[in-house]
Amino acid sequence: MLQLSLRAFVSILRPINCAMIGFAVIVGAFVSKPPNVDFAGLLFGFVTGFAICGYSMVINDYYDIEVDKINQPDRPLPSGLVTPQGALGLAVAMLAIGLIASVVLLSWAALAVALVYALLSWLYNYRAKKYGLSGNLIVASSLAIPFIYGGLVSGGSVTSSLLLFMAGTAFLSGVGREVVKAMADTVGDEKRGINSFARVHGMRQASAAGAAFFLASVVSSLIPLLVLSVSPFYRFGVIIPDVAFIYLAYEILSKPTADRALKVKKRALMGMLIGLIVFIGGAF
């Protein structure tokens, strides 16, 4: 029973998503070209990104209990494996860990960014999710912020051109994934009154919007090849996630259904993970 509960709590945290955010902080730190690398700072930066992302994942499930009873009844909260009180306790613990790790960095700017990140996560889940595309933009910003945060905690330049392109690429792919993701949740979204792009404009237009953002992220990732000096790893490695997102754009356009959207959403996360690996290589 304890093993089952532990597995449920791990599931609600979505550790792979959180690890991606933590590593994005590290990528941002190296891409910002700091004069020296403080490995303790990188560790606390990773913990901040991981923990606040975990907080946002749990809060998302907490507010979506009724929706998930329809869309994803096997999730920890609607299935009863985790209680709402337990979820709130875990969310508070993750938020505290993230903010404390940020305070340890002794940077008021870093703490301010961490607080903004946490506030946006709460705002999205509490209210902004109901407003469709604007909510998608908030979620996507949480994918870009860790790169900037990494530049702050390392003492490097947060205006580094490559850093901004990486943040922009993450943002655009994130918007695309969120738009497509909502296509798979229209039934549950109707119950909660969420005006997703798919519910307001229809599945066909939502697929076009999602595909457009996927392709825009591809363009954003390729611009550094033309205007910046990048590592060979980035120059050749970026082809892999770019091909993946071009294919995902084709997939959702060719069949704009809820089932296809669910598959594209999951594959987009894998594409983003591969892109992050390329970013890590490009940082060196």
Side-chain angles (χ1 to χ4, degrees), residues 162-282:
L162 183 57
L163 178 65
L164 295 179
F165 275 118
M166 286 181 174
T169 299
F171 174 80
L172 292 168
S173 62
V175 177
R177 182 174 184 269
E178 287 301 310
V179 171
V180 170
K181 177 183 174 183
M183 293 172 61
D185 297 336
T186 53
V187 176
D189 287 348
E190 184 176 2
K191 180 178 178 64
R192 192 179 161 189
I194 295 175
N195 296 315
S196 67
F197 198 94
R199 280 198 65 217
V200 174
H201 301 285
M203 300 290 269
R204 175 63 66 181
Q205 290 197 43
S207 70
F213 278 107
F214 282 159
L215 296 177
S217 73
V218 171
V219 173
S220 176
S221 71
L222 293 176
I223 292 177
L225 303 184
L226 304 176
V227 300
L228 300 174
S229 175
V230 297
S231 71
F233 187 94
Y234 183 93
R235 185 172 296 277
F236 294 102
V238 76
I239 296 172
I240 300 173
D242 282 353
V243 169
F245 277 106
I246 291 172
Y247 179 71
L248 291 176
Y250 164 76
E251 271 206 309
I252 197 61
L253 281 173
S254 63
K255 191 177 180 181
T257 63
D259 288 341
R260 177 61 61 85
L262 187 60
K263 293 178 181 178
V264 169
K265 177 195 79 169
K266 293 178 179 179
R267 291 169 182 169
L269 183 63
M270 183 58 64
M272 293 164 74
L273 178 59
I274 296 171
L276 182 59
I277 293 171
V278 172
F279 285 172
I280 292 173

Side-chain angles (χ1 to χ4, degrees), residues 54-66:
Y55 156 79
S56 69
M57 294 293 111
V58 178
I59 286 295
N60 176 75
D61 278 18
Y62 176 80
Y63 281 112
D64 275 0
I65 294 177
E66 295 304 318

Side-chain angles (χ1 to χ4, degrees), residues 3-277:
Q3 183 179 11
L4 182 62
S5 298
L6 181 59
R7 186 182 304 167
F9 273 100
V10 170
S11 175
I12 202 173
L13 277 176
R14 296 178 177 88
I16 294 178
N17 299 52
C18 297
M20 287 175 62
I21 295 297
F23 279 116
V25 174
I26 294 177
V27 171
F30 280 101
V31 172
S32 65
K33 308 293 184 185
N36 52 65
V37 178
D38 178 6
F39 287 98
L42 290 182
L43 174 61
F44 283 112
F46 177 89
V47 170
T48 299
F50 185 100
I52 296 183
C53 177
Y55 156 79
S56 69
M57 294 293 111
V58 178
I59 286 295
N60 176 75
D61 278 18
Y62 176 80
Y63 281 112
D64 275 0
I65 294 177
E66 295 304 318
V67 174
D68 285 344
K69 285 180 180 178
I70 299 173
N71 292 334
Q72 303 182 76
D74 58 337
R75 291 291 300 160
L77 277 169
S79 66
L81 293 175
V82 175
T83 65
Q85 294 79 8
L88 276 180
L90 180 61
V92 171
M94 295 303 291
L95 178 61
I97 291 170
L99 294 181
I100 290 171
S102 188
V103 169
V104 170
L105 294 171
L106 300 178
S107 168
W108 289 108
L111 177 59
V113 172
L115 284 169
V116 169
Y117 181 22
L119 179 61
L120 286 175
S121 297
W122 173 80
L123 179 64
Y124 168 74
N125 289 297
Y126 177 68
R127 182 67 63 183
K129 178 184 287 190
K130 295 185 177 182
Y131 303 125
L133 186 58
S134 60
N136 299 150
L137 296 176
I138 290 177
V139 174
S141 70
S142 70
L143 301 177
I145 288 174
F147 292 97
I148 307 302
Y149 183 83
L152 280 174
V153 302
S154 69
S157 171
V158 296
T159 59
S160 162
S161 296
L162 183 57
L163 178 65
L164 295 179
F165 275 118
M166 286 181 174
T169 299
F171 174 80
L172 292 168
S173 62
V175 177
R177 182 174 184 269
E178 287 301 310
V179 171
V180 170
K181 177 183 174 183
M183 293 172 61
D185 297 336
T186 53
V187 176
D189 287 348
E190 184 176 2
K191 180 178 178 64
R192 192 179 161 189
I194 295 175
N195 296 315
S196 67
F197 198 94
R199 280 198 65 217
V200 174
H201 301 285
M203 300 290 269
R204 175 63 66 181
Q205 290 197 43
S207 70
F213 278 107
F214 282 159
L215 296 177
S217 73
V218 171
V219 173
S220 176
S221 71
L222 293 176
I223 292 177
L225 303 184
L226 304 176
V227 300
L228 300 174
S229 175
V230 297
S231 71
F233 187 94
Y234 183 93
R235 185 172 296 277
F236 294 102
V238 76
I239 296 172
I240 300 173
D242 282 353
V243 169
F245 277 106
I246 291 172
Y247 179 71
L248 291 176
Y250 164 76
E251 271 206 309
I252 197 61
L253 281 173
S254 63
K255 191 177 180 181
T257 63
D259 288 341
R260 177 61 61 85
L262 187 60
K263 293 178 181 178
V264 169
K265 177 195 79 169
K266 293 178 179 179
R267 291 169 182 169
L269 183 63
M270 183 58 64
M272 293 164 74
L273 178 59
I274 296 171
L276 182 59
I277 293 171

